[in-house]
Amino acid sequence: MSTPQLVVHRDKELMAQAAAARLITRIVDAQSARGAASVVLTGGRNGNAVLAALGSAPARDAVDWQRLDLWWGDERFLPEGDPERNVTQARAALLDSVPVDPARVHAMPASDGPCGGDADAAAAAYAAELAAAAGPEDHGPVPVFDVLMLGVGPDTHVASLFPELPAVRETERTVVGVHGAPKPPPTRISLTLPAIRAAREVWLLAAGEDKAKAVAMALSGAGEVQAPAAGAHGRSRTLWLLDAAAAAELPRDLYPPALA
């Protein structure tokens, strides 16, 4: 378990740009070291802002897009192409404008896919896809992702792991169907905390004053069942990327007063 590190930026725009630059560097380093890189994307306003910033960054062409595996931390269980699906938004923000290998874009199943409307079967299918991509060096049922990004919700949820719901308590499966989510749509698919914690680096993104209480709670010793963001950490690094508004309720001893 890595100790959380915090970087606080002046505003959400700068946070997105800096996170995009950081992600490019991490992908290039991984490709240089191992020939390929593996990243887990997140949706929501902050995740999509990072993807849009990456798409407009001059350094984006340093990435070998053909040697990049893209996964998702969660998905809204809706039909293929629905504008609310994370993968649909990611394509609009970035993927349609870069030469990714379609075979390495691992979207979570849609509700009109081979599993039909069975979110639990769709989750099991995604878990099987992850397991098939894991090599002997990964020592587990999912690949060791280079970077796994998560947005932090105002209620401290990450991916589609909501406080007190069964999914956040899951310890065996890597992917689960989520039913009765407190924000629409109620049916989702999500990585579990064990799968999230397989990543080398976990980055938690939060911007805006509506995230301030959640950030403070997650970083102040709350349990992961009550505050799922508190249970998200990487093997070698756990990085919280915040803007000043989201960091406003943190004790000053948790991060330097100077803003990045």
Side-chain angles (χ1 to χ4, degrees), residues 75-92 96 107-113:
E75 186 56 275
R76 299 170 174 94
F77 197 52
L78 297 167
E80 183 68 33
D82 189 289
E84 293 300 308
R85 275 174 60 83
N86 289 334
V87 66
T88 306
Q89 296 174 6
R91 292 188 191 283
D96 287 346
M108 287 184 164
S111 61
D112 57 352

Short mmCIF file of all heavy atoms in Angstrom, two decimals, residues 75-92 96 107-113:
data_model
loop_
_atom_site.label_atom_id
_atom_site.label_comp_id
_atom_site.label_asym_id
_atom_site.label_seq_id
_atom_site.Cartn_x
_atom_site.Cartn_y
_atom_site.Cartn_z
N GLU A 75 -18.48 1.51 -16.00
CA GLU A 75 -19.28 1.90 -17.16
C GLU A 75 -20.75 1.91 -16.78
O GLU A 75 -21.21 1.09 -15.98
CB GLU A 75 -19.03 0.92 -18.32
CG GLU A 75 -19.69 1.29 -19.63
CD GLU A 75 -19.30 2.69 -20.11
OE1 GLU A 75 -19.95 3.66 -19.65
OE2 GLU A 75 -18.37 2.81 -20.93
N ARG A 76 -21.45 2.83 -17.39
CA ARG A 76 -22.91 2.84 -17.27
C ARG A 76 -23.45 1.75 -18.18
O ARG A 76 -23.11 1.71 -19.36
CB ARG A 76 -23.44 4.22 -17.64
CG ARG A 76 -22.91 5.33 -16.72
CD ARG A 76 -23.27 6.71 -17.29
NE ARG A 76 -22.90 7.77 -16.38
CZ ARG A 76 -21.75 8.44 -16.42
NH1 ARG A 76 -20.84 8.13 -17.34
NH2 ARG A 76 -21.50 9.41 -15.56
N PHE A 77 -24.31 0.89 -17.65
CA PHE A 77 -24.80 -0.26 -18.41
C PHE A 77 -25.96 0.19 -19.29
O PHE A 77 -27.15 0.05 -18.96
CB PHE A 77 -25.21 -1.39 -17.47
CG PHE A 77 -25.34 -2.73 -18.14
CD1 PHE A 77 -24.31 -3.24 -18.92
CD2 PHE A 77 -26.49 -3.49 -17.99
CE1 PHE A 77 -24.42 -4.47 -19.55
CE2 PHE A 77 -26.60 -4.74 -18.60
CZ PHE A 77 -25.57 -5.21 -19.39
N LEU A 78 -25.58 0.75 -20.44
CA LEU A 78 -26.50 1.33 -21.40
C LEU A 78 -26.16 0.80 -22.79
O LEU A 78 -25.11 0.19 -22.97
CB LEU A 78 -26.36 2.87 -21.38
CG LEU A 78 -26.74 3.56 -20.06
CD1 LEU A 78 -26.27 5.00 -20.07
CD2 LEU A 78 -28.25 3.46 -19.81
N PRO A 79 -27.00 1.04 -23.79
CA PRO A 79 -26.73 0.52 -25.13
C PRO A 79 -25.46 1.12 -25.74
O PRO A 79 -25.06 2.24 -25.41
CB PRO A 79 -27.97 0.91 -25.93
CG PRO A 79 -29.04 1.10 -24.90
CD PRO A 79 -28.35 1.64 -23.69
N GLU A 80 -24.86 0.36 -26.64
CA GLU A 80 -23.67 0.82 -27.36
C GLU A 80 -23.96 2.16 -28.03
O GLU A 80 -25.01 2.36 -28.64
CB GLU A 80 -23.29 -0.22 -28.43
CG GLU A 80 -22.04 0.13 -29.20
CD GLU A 80 -20.80 0.06 -28.32
OE1 GLU A 80 -20.77 -0.79 -27.41
OE2 GLU A 80 -19.88 0.86 -28.56
N GLY A 81 -23.02 3.10 -27.88
CA GLY A 81 -23.18 4.41 -28.49
C GLY A 81 -23.98 5.41 -27.68
O GLY A 81 -24.07 6.59 -28.07
N ASP A 82 -24.55 4.98 -26.56
CA ASP A 82 -25.31 5.93 -25.73
C ASP A 82 -24.39 7.05 -25.28
O ASP A 82 -23.26 6.80 -24.84
CB ASP A 82 -25.89 5.20 -24.51
CG ASP A 82 -26.87 6.07 -23.73
OD1 ASP A 82 -26.41 7.03 -23.07
OD2 ASP A 82 -28.07 5.79 -23.78
N PRO A 83 -24.83 8.30 -25.38
CA PRO A 83 -23.95 9.42 -25.03
C PRO A 83 -23.52 9.45 -23.56
O PRO A 83 -22.56 10.13 -23.22
CB PRO A 83 -24.77 10.66 -25.39
CG PRO A 83 -26.18 10.19 -25.46
CD PRO A 83 -26.12 8.78 -25.91
N GLU A 84 -24.22 8.71 -22.71
CA GLU A 84 -23.86 8.68 -21.30
C GLU A 84 -22.79 7.62 -20.98
O GLU A 84 -22.27 7.60 -19.86
CB GLU A 84 -25.09 8.44 -20.43
CG GLU A 84 -26.09 9.58 -20.44
CD GLU A 84 -25.47 10.87 -19.92
OE1 GLU A 84 -24.88 10.84 -18.82
OE2 GLU A 84 -25.55 11.89 -20.62
N ARG A 85 -22.50 6.75 -21.93
CA ARG A 85 -21.47 5.74 -21.67
C ARG A 85 -20.09 6.39 -21.63
O ARG A 85 -19.78 7.28 -22.44
CB ARG A 85 -21.51 4.64 -22.74
CG ARG A 85 -22.52 3.55 -22.43
CD ARG A 85 -22.68 2.54 -23.53
NE ARG A 85 -21.45 1.83 -23.87
CZ ARG A 85 -20.98 0.75 -23.23
NH1 ARG A 85 -21.62 0.29 -22.17
NH2 ARG A 85 -19.87 0.15 -23.65
N ASN A 86 -19.26 5.93 -20.71
CA ASN A 86 -17.92 6.49 -20.59
C ASN A 86 -17.10 6.32 -21.86
O ASN A 86 -16.35 7.21 -22.26
CB ASN A 86 -17.19 5.85 -19.41
CG ASN A 86 -17.73 6.29 -18.07
OD1 ASN A 86 -18.28 7.37 -17.94
ND2 ASN A 86 -17.57 5.43 -17.07
N VAL A 87 -17.24 5.17 -22.51
CA VAL A 87 -16.45 4.93 -23.72
C VAL A 87 -16.90 5.86 -24.85
O VAL A 87 -16.07 6.34 -25.63
CB VAL A 87 -16.53 3.45 -24.16
CG1 VAL A 87 -17.93 3.05 -24.60
CG2 VAL A 87 -15.53 3.18 -25.27
N THR A 88 -18.19 6.16 -24.93
CA THR A 88 -18.68 7.10 -25.95
C THR A 88 -18.06 8.47 -25.73
O THR A 88 -17.61 9.14 -26.68
CB THR A 88 -20.21 7.19 -25.90
OG1 THR A 88 -20.78 5.89 -26.00
CG2 THR A 88 -20.75 8.07 -27.01
N GLN A 89 -18.04 8.92 -24.48
CA GLN A 89 -17.47 10.23 -24.15
C GLN A 89 -15.96 10.24 -24.38
O GLN A 89 -15.40 11.25 -24.84
CB GLN A 89 -17.82 10.58 -22.71
CG GLN A 89 -19.32 10.75 -22.50
CD GLN A 89 -19.70 10.95 -21.04
OE1 GLN A 89 -18.84 11.08 -20.17
NE2 GLN A 89 -21.00 10.94 -20.76
N ALA A 90 -15.29 9.14 -24.09
CA ALA A 90 -13.84 9.06 -24.31
C ALA A 90 -13.50 9.13 -25.79
O ALA A 90 -12.50 9.74 -26.19
CB ALA A 90 -13.28 7.79 -23.68
N ARG A 91 -14.33 8.49 -26.61
CA ARG A 91 -14.08 8.56 -28.05
C ARG A 91 -14.20 10.00 -28.54
O ARG A 91 -13.38 10.46 -29.34
CB ARG A 91 -15.07 7.65 -28.80
CG ARG A 91 -14.84 6.16 -28.55
CD ARG A 91 -15.72 5.31 -29.46
NE ARG A 91 -15.69 3.90 -29.06
CZ ARG A 91 -14.70 3.06 -29.32
NH1 ARG A 91 -13.63 3.48 -29.97
NH2 ARG A 91 -14.76 1.79 -28.93
N ALA A 92 -15.22 10.71 -28.07
CA ALA A 92 -15.41 12.09 -28.50
C ALA A 92 -14.29 13.00 -27.99
O ALA A 92 -13.84 13.90 -28.70
CB ALA A 92 -16.77 12.60 -28.01
N ASP A 96 -11.15 9.17 -30.89
CA ASP A 96 -11.43 9.29 -32.32
C ASP A 96 -10.39 10.14 -33.05
O ASP A 96 -10.37 10.16 -34.29
CB ASP A 96 -12.82 9.89 -32.55
CG ASP A 96 -13.94 8.90 -32.25
OD1 ASP A 96 -13.65 7.69 -32.12
OD2 ASP A 96 -15.10 9.34 -32.12
N ALA A 107 -13.44 -1.77 -24.15
CA ALA A 107 -14.66 -1.18 -23.58
C ALA A 107 -15.41 -2.23 -22.78
O ALA A 107 -15.41 -3.42 -23.11
CB ALA A 107 -15.54 -0.64 -24.70
N MET A 108 -16.08 -1.80 -21.72
CA MET A 108 -16.95 -2.70 -20.98
C MET A 108 -18.20 -2.99 -21.80
O MET A 108 -18.63 -2.16 -22.61
CB MET A 108 -17.31 -2.08 -19.63
CG MET A 108 -16.17 -2.09 -18.62
SD MET A 108 -16.68 -1.47 -17.00
CE MET A 108 -15.30 -2.06 -15.99
N PRO A 109 -18.80 -4.16 -21.63
CA PRO A 109 -19.96 -4.53 -22.44
C PRO A 109 -21.12 -3.55 -22.29
O PRO A 109 -21.34 -2.97 -21.22
CB PRO A 109 -20.34 -5.91 -21.90
CG PRO A 109 -19.08 -6.46 -21.31
CD PRO A 109 -18.38 -5.27 -20.74
N ALA A 110 -21.86 -3.40 -23.38
CA ALA A 110 -23.06 -2.57 -23.38
C ALA A 110 -24.29 -3.43 -23.08
O ALA A 110 -24.25 -4.66 -23.17
CB ALA A 110 -23.22 -1.89 -24.75
N SER A 111 -25.38 -2.78 -22.76
CA SER A 111 -26.59 -3.51 -22.38
C SER A 111 -27.26 -4.18 -23.58
O SER A 111 -28.16 -5.02 -23.38
CB SER A 111 -27.59 -2.57 -21.71
OG SER A 111 -27.98 -1.54 -22.59
N ASP A 112 -26.85 -3.83 -24.81
CA ASP A 112 -27.37 -4.51 -25.99
C ASP A 112 -26.30 -5.39 -26.63
O ASP A 112 -26.38 -5.74 -27.79
CB ASP A 112 -27.91 -3.50 -27.01
CG ASP A 112 -26.87 -2.47 -27.44
OD1 ASP A 112 -25.76 -2.44 -26.86
OD2 ASP A 112 -27.16 -1.68 -28.37
N GLY A 113 -25.29 -5.76 -25.84
CA GLY A 113 -24.21 -6.60 -26.32
C GLY A 113 -24.53 -8.07 -26.15
O GLY A 113 -25.68 -8.47 -25.90
#
